[in-house]
Each structure stands twice: as C-alpha cells, then as structure tokens.
Amino acid sequence: MIIPDVLINRLKKANNVAILTGAGVSAESGIKTFRDPDGLWAKFDPRELASVDGFMSNPQLVWEWYQMRVGVINDSKPNPGHFAIADMENMFDVFTLITQNVDRLHQQAGSKKVLELHGNIVENHCFSCKKPFNGETNLPDQQLPKCPECGGNIRPNVVWFGEMLPVAALNNAELAAEACDVFFTIGTSTEVYPAASLPLMAQRNGAFVVEVNPNQTSFSKKADVQLAYPSGIAMPEIVRILKEQK
Ligand code: BV8
Ligand code: ZN
C-alpha cells in the first residue's frame, strides 16, 4: 500500500492537523455503517428512526433500535485505525479529532480530546424535561425507561436529523478546519450536514485535504489525496512512516 510522499512531506511540515471521522472508521470494529449496502439504514428509514418525529411517533421502536446498537457497540472494540488516530494526537503541536460517530471507540482507543458532532449513544436524557438519565436502561422486553422526574420518555444523547449540533463542538470543529495545515476526512460518505461541509471549509482555508475511504464519495474528486483503503490499514501505515522518518 503506497502512501504518497506529498502527504508524508505535508505531515512532517504540519503543526496543525485535524481529522473528521464517520461510521467507516468503526466498520472494522464490526459496527455497521449507515449507508453501506448492508448498513443500518438499509432496513430502516433514517427519518423514521434518527429523528424527533420518528421518536414521537414510535418511541418504543426507536428505543429498541438504539438498544440494539448499544448492544453491538458494547461487544465491539477499537480497531487499528482508532489506535493510529489516537497515536496522532501527540504527533503535532495542534491536533483536533472531530467525529460524527456516537460509539465512543475513539475514546476507548485513547483519544483524549474528541469533538462529538452527533452526540453519543451511551448516555441518555429525558425527552420532555431534558434532565440527564442515569437509571436502568436494560428493562425487561426492552421497555422504554421513563423519567423519574416527570415521567417523560428517555432518549439517547445522539443528535437526530433536524436537531441542532452541540454548539461548542461544531464551533471548535469549524475553527480547526479553518486553521489546520492538513485535514483528514476518514470513513464518511460526506452526506450529512453541517459535518459534511468541514473538508471543503478546510481546503478553502488552505489545508491539504486527504480522504481515506475504500469507496468514492461526493468529496473524493476534490480531495488533494484520496487513499482508497480501509482506515484500519491506511492510518497505521501513515503513523508507521511518520515515526520511521522522525
Ligand atoms: C441540522 C444520529 C439544522 C445519531 C445522525 C438538505 C440538504 C442539506 C442538508 C439537509 C437537507 N435536509 C436536511 C438537512 C440537514 C440534515 C442533513 O444533512 N441531511 C442529509 C441526509 C441531507 N442534517 C441535520 O438534520 C443535522 N442537523 O442540520 O440541524 C437545524 C438548524 C437550526 C435549528 C434546528 C436544526 C443533524 C445531523 C445529525 C443526524 N444524526 N445520526 C445516530 O443515530 O447515530 S446522522 C448519521 O449519519 C450518523 O450520525 C452518521 O455519523 C452520519 C454520517 O454518516 P457517515 O458517518 O458518513 O456514515 P455512512 O454510512 O454514511 O458512510 C460510511 C462511509 O465509510 C462510506 O463512505 C464507506 O465507503 C466508508 N467505509 C466503509 N468501511 C470503511 C470506510 N471508510 C474507511 N474504512 C473502512 N473500513
Ligand atoms: Zn423528565
């Protein structure tokens, strides 16, 4: 597998690097992506599940879908791509990891600072009064837990379609995209906004943009370098070369 010299040279000169990850980074951990043929959306319609309307019209179904996903995540562990990205955190003066993923595998792999644009699936809060919920979520026949304060339905801390992204996370992600020398977009179909606008924002601000994705995306043609490899292969190789040429 060949990593172009131009990328290595850019990285050796870079003091500010930013990475945006999507579901593809967790694919090699056994977590299905959203839009791949066998993906999570294949069986369901996202608007039905990952949306406020979906939850309001069928809270039990949405809750069960998330519980199924939490089960898959609990059985999965970070893959070499996550560990390589965690390694990169200490290789540059400024390093920002921005993720659309809700599985927290970056944190499990050792990444300390992670901007979670779409929240996380492991924490929950009350849909009605918004209070954090730390009670039991594993109820018999996957019953949907109720808020002890107001009796409202409990939901995961993920950002649904039509919901605002966490303001600080999005703000810091945009600042990183504007300031970085090299921007990686890894394992994302670049379809969900505003996350999908970050690679172009980085490039317009002078960053060298690398896409790591075995398939083509709407961004592939614009990337300065497109590595058509799984992230679990490409990222460890980039880190190996950088350490070797230190
Ligand atoms: C908002 C919930 C506004 C958590 C998710 C029309 C045009 C433009 C935008 C819109 C529009 N209509 C509506 C919108 C806005 C909408 C949007 O972008 N819709 C899209 C679909 C058109 N965005 C929103 O609603 C956002 N909010 O805009 O709010 C607002 C303003 C004011 C006031 C109120 C509101 C909210 C977006 C967040 C939605 N939440 N999920 C959950 O359930 O997980 S989105 C869902 O998609 C996931 O979060 C996921 O992170 C995200 C992106 O998917 P990817 O990560 O890219 O995954 P995908 O499967 O698509 O791709 C995987 C890739 O990996 C593939 O390319 C594959 O080739 C690659 N791959 C596979 N294996 C590997 C690999 N790569 C590397 N290595 C491998 N081994
Ligand atoms: Zn409540």
Side-chain angles (χ1 to χ4, degrees):
M1 193 218 2
I2 309 286
I3 303 293
D5 289 343
V6 62
L7 171 55
I8 296 300
N9 295 336
R10 284 283 183 142
L11 286 169
K12 283 161 69 174
K13 284 192 306 220
N15 55 37
N16 185 327
V17 169
I19 294 187
L20 168 69
T21 62
V25 163
S26 297
E28 290 155 272
S29 297
I31 299 180
K32 283 188 179 341
T33 63
F34 290 87
R35 293 169 186 84
D36 282 331
D38 64 343
L40 284 165
W41 296 144
K43 288 185 288 303
F44 297 103
D45 172 345
R47 280 175 298 282
E48 208 180 305
L49 295 171
S51 70
V52 171
D53 295 349
F55 185 70
M56 288 178 77
S57 54
N58 196 335
Q60 185 60 40
L61 172 72
V62 174
W63 177 256
E64 284 176 29
W65 185 59
Y66 277 97
Q67 284 301 95
M68 177 276 288
R69 290 174 58 196
V70 168
V72 170
I73 288 167
N74 289 342
D75 294 345
S76 65
K77 45 188 199 311
N79 66 63
H82 290 108
F83 289 113
I85 291 169
D87 254 357
M88 291 174 75
E89 199 165 56
N90 314 312
M91 296 173 78
F92 302 96
D93 298 344
V94 181
F95 179 85
T96 310
L97 175 56
I98 307 157
T99 191
Q100 301 171 86
N101 298 339
V102 296
D103 57 32
R104 295 223 147 151
L105 288 182
H106 283 304
Q107 291 91 332
Q108 276 187 47
S111 291
K112 301 229 183 0
K113 249 179 62 191
V114 185
L115 298 177
E116 293 180 321
L117 295 185
H118 295 165
N120 75 79
I121 201 170
V122 295
E123 293 164 340
N124 300 285
H125 64 274
C126 172
F127 182 73
S128 310
C129 72
K130 312 290 178 230
K131 274 208 178 53
F133 177 77
N134 300 308
E136 182 51 55
T137 51
N138 222 342
L139 302 178
D141 355 307
Q142 297 215 338
Q143 257 163 43
L144 199 160
K146 299 288 181 190
C147 171
E149 308 279 325
C150 75
N153 285 328
I154 298 304
R155 58 160 289 180
N157 280 15
V158 297
V159 177
W160 279 331
F161 285 105
E163 289 191 312
M164 290 278 276
L165 274 59
V167 177
L170 180 58
N171 224 351
N172 290 328
E174 289 173 342
L175 289 172
E178 285 160 1
C180 67
D181 304 307
V182 179
F183 187 95
F184 284 85
T185 171
I186 308 174
T188 178
S189 59
T190 328
E191 280 189 25
V192 176
Y193 288 81
S197 50
L198 291 170
L200 206 54
M201 190 184 286
Q203 198 169 55
R204 290 211 172 116
N205 282 274
F208 185 82
V209 182
V210 190
E211 180 179 69
V212 179
N213 192 324
N215 304 308
Q216 292 296 301
T217 72
S218 55
F219 186 77
S220 300
K221 288 201 175 38
K222 298 186 195 101
D224 294 296
V225 160
Q226 210 281 342
L227 300 177
Y229 296 97
S231 48
I233 304 282
M235 297 317 291
E237 179 63 3
I238 290 170
V239 168
R240 184 190 66 77
I241 297 169
L242 287 176
K243 285 182 175 171
E244 201 178 70
Q245 296 189 11
K246 240 192 157 41

